[in-house]
Amino acid sequence: MRLEAITWDRLVDRLVERLLELKPADGSPWPRIAFDGAPAAAPGDLAARVHEALRVRGRPSLAVATDGFLRPASVRLEHGHQDVDAYYDGWLDTGALWREVFGPLEPGGDGRVLPDLLDPVTDRATRSPYVQLPPGGLLLLHGPLLLRHWFPFDLTVHLLLSPGALRRRTPEADHWTLPAFGRYQDETDPAGTADVLVRADDPRRPAWSG
């Protein structure tokens, strides 16, 4: 796939132009967008910038981090703190995401979304209030390993790091997670399946597929 160099500001502008015209194929009034990438690629930063750019243009959106929908520590750490298979298959509470985020945004839903459920640091319920996303508002879901689930995204953005960049930019304490991202590449091919690919090896000089 051919990638072109771009600045982050211009990339955000181009993405927002596309999102303002996005119409969900299933008839939902709420476009749902994935910002997929390893933590080292900072997909949440890009989602936050897109959220702000949409706000300036008068379009409501809600950025939701998958970190707020992890399973309780007693479940996700059942096989230890560094179990790669559990990280890949068992950390994310997909049922809660379907119930609290995607379900309300289906055709006929009420648009009432829970932005987070569990604080991954304290392992306690966040007790955050529900957010009413008006028709036309966009869901910006960001986190790792997103495209291996059957979530009903209307546009997917994958932030790609080469294996070397991923290792360099991942804290050493989290290097145990790296095999999960190798497996993700092999099984899901996010770079080949995402609607928009952003190469972020050098955080100062991104490139994208346009």
Side-chain angles (χ1 to χ4, degrees), residues 70-100:
L70 299 183
R71 290 190 168 98
S74 60
V75 177
R76 69 178 188 271
L77 304 179
E78 181 181 2
H79 301 290
H81 287 255
Q82 297 187 359
D83 187 281
V84 176
D85 290 337
Y87 178 74
Y88 189 77
D89 287 318
W91 276 36
L92 185 62
D93 191 341
T94 55
L97 273 172
W98 277 106
R99 182 179 67 251
E100 304 290 358

Side-chain angles (χ1 to χ4, degrees), residues 8-209:
W8 286 109
D9 287 344
R10 182 59 179 151
L11 189 153
V12 169
D13 286 342
R14 295 279 297 276
L15 269 178
V16 168
E17 289 170 5
R18 187 165 177 178
L19 294 181
L20 289 174
E21 302 297 324
L22 185 63
K23 304 295 183 186
D26 64 0
S28 169
W30 300 282
R32 296 141 298 191
I33 297 90
F35 291 84
D36 174 62
D45 290 354
L46 180 57
R49 295 180 70 158
V50 168
H51 168 75
E52 177 60 19
L54 287 166
R55 186 193 66 79
V56 170
R57 290 162 175 79
R59 187 73 176 267
S61 65
L62 177 65
V64 173
T66 58
D67 275 358
F69 287 90
L70 299 183
R71 290 190 168 98
S74 60
V75 177
R76 69 178 188 271
L77 304 179
E78 181 181 2
H79 301 290
H81 287 255
Q82 297 187 359
D83 187 281
V84 176
D85 290 337
Y87 178 74
Y88 189 77
D89 287 318
W91 276 36
L92 185 62
D93 191 341
T94 55
L97 273 172
W98 277 106
R99 182 179 67 251
E100 304 290 358
V101 178
F102 288 106
L105 303 182
E106 291 178 346
D110 60 10
R112 191 167 174 265
V113 175
L114 189 66
D116 49 53
L117 184 63
L118 187 79
D119 185 321
V121 176
T122 64
D123 198 40
R124 295 179 180 274
T126 57
R127 304 190 186 281
S128 295
Y130 283 85
V131 175
Q132 187 68 50
L133 195 60
L138 297 96
L139 170 69
L140 312 176
L141 184 69
H142 57 89
L145 311 173
L146 278 178
L147 306 188
R148 60 181 299 268
H149 305 288
W150 291 98
F151 294 138
F153 293 119
D154 302 296
L155 187 81
T156 54
V157 180
H158 176 65
L159 284 86
L160 175 67
L161 294 177
S162 67
L166 177 61
R167 175 169 288 275
R168 288 193 304 272
R169 292 171 57 186
T170 298
E172 187 172 351
D174 295 328
H175 276 190
W176 66 271
T177 65
L178 297 180
F181 294 103
R183 180 179 170 188
Y184 184 50
Q185 294 290 340
D186 293 340
E187 295 184 356
T188 305
D189 185 25
T193 58
D195 298 306
V196 176
L197 178 64
V198 179
R199 184 127 202 177
D201 285 359
D202 185 340
R204 300 164 299 177
R205 300 180 179 88
W208 82 318
S209 60

